[in-house]
Amino acid sequence: QFSFQENGWGASLAERLVRKCDVVNRGLSGYNTRWAKLILPRLISKSTGAESTVAVTIFFGANDSALKDLNPKQHVPLEEYAANLKSMIQYLKSIDITEDRVILITPPPLQESAWEKECLAKGDKLNRRNATTGEYAQACVQVARDCGTDVLDLWTLMQKNQDFSSYLSDGLHLSTKGNSFLAAQLWSCLEKKLSALPWLLPYWRDVDHTNPEASLL
């Protein structure tokens, strides 16, 4: 949901793809895969242009991996999380969005000390653990392998030889730097799928001003 905010990764992709295709944001703050699986047919279907869809990203796990005892509303067991991802991929295939057009994104790492402050401010205990989030990230990578989709392992990439805290605004959600990192990594996955897309309508200098119909219709 936050990806279309200023400096969000979705907004960055939309800017890169202007005049080539529309970037549609169907993110829902706080949702997990159990809920997403149920509503996916309402978000994308054959009647909403599935045949012209060039790529779909599925980005879940940060909420599913919440600790069951401390956050039972959002928590989804690891095995169910994997099954839900597979179910969403199967649904997309059923409406002719093939696995080569699907990109799974793992949850980012959790910076526990920063997120604990957020929890304590609301009168709660720390309700997530980075190691647990990592298990869900591994499951997401495995689902991609099993189903033949691309995967962006954000959890691993953000922790590679560096302090990842600057990628997160509050220990959980992406900061401006984290959004830029995700946008750049995702573009590497998307570029080969989208590089051949033509511009929608000609560049203005290429329009025949004496006979615009010939250029535009």
Side-chain angles (χ1 to χ4, degrees), residues 142-163:
Q142 188 59 51
V143 168
R145 285 198 192 112
D146 293 345
C147 296
T149 71
D150 284 340
V151 63
L152 180 56
D153 186 358
L154 207 54
W155 189 86
T156 299
L157 288 168
M158 282 187 164
Q159 294 183 90
K160 237 175 195 171
N161 308 319
Q162 59 197 327
D163 171 20

Side-chain angles (χ1 to χ4, degrees), residues 71-197:
N71 189 349
K73 184 164 187 173
Q74 289 179 302
H75 169 80
V76 171
L78 186 61
E79 296 76 16
E80 184 190 341
Y81 166 73
N84 289 341
L85 289 177
K86 287 181 179 178
S87 175
M88 285 190 268
I89 294 166
Q90 288 301 320
Y91 168 73
L92 292 173
K93 287 174 70 175
S94 78
I95 58 169
D96 300 326
I97 297 176
T98 49
E99 58 267 40
D100 59 304
R101 287 186 277 164
V102 177
I103 302 170
L104 300 187
I105 307 173
T106 76
L110 179 80
Q111 218 276 315
E112 292 181 13
S113 58
W115 184 243
E116 187 172 28
K117 287 180 185 174
E118 297 289 322
C119 294
L120 291 172
K122 296 171 185 171
D124 299 325
K125 295 179 181 176
L126 178 65
N127 58 18
R128 289 166 169 80
R129 292 282 181 187
N130 190 39
T132 306
T133 304
E135 293 174 6
Y136 283 70
Q138 284 181 316
C140 181
V141 170
Q142 188 59 51
V143 168
R145 285 198 192 112
D146 293 345
C147 296
T149 71
D150 284 340
V151 63
L152 180 56
D153 186 358
L154 207 54
W155 189 86
T156 299
L157 288 168
M158 282 187 164
Q159 294 183 90
K160 237 175 195 171
N161 308 319
Q162 59 197 327
D163 171 20
F164 62 87
S165 59
S166 63
Y167 289 133
L168 304 166
S169 63
D170 55 8
L172 176 66
H173 300 97
L174 297 175
S175 63
T176 296
K177 185 178 177 183
N179 273 282
S180 296
F181 182 86
L182 173 51
Q185 296 291 329
L186 190 54
W187 184 249
S188 296
C189 296
L190 286 169
E191 196 168 13
K192 59 182 179 288
K193 300 179 192 295
L194 307 180
S195 58
L197 286 175

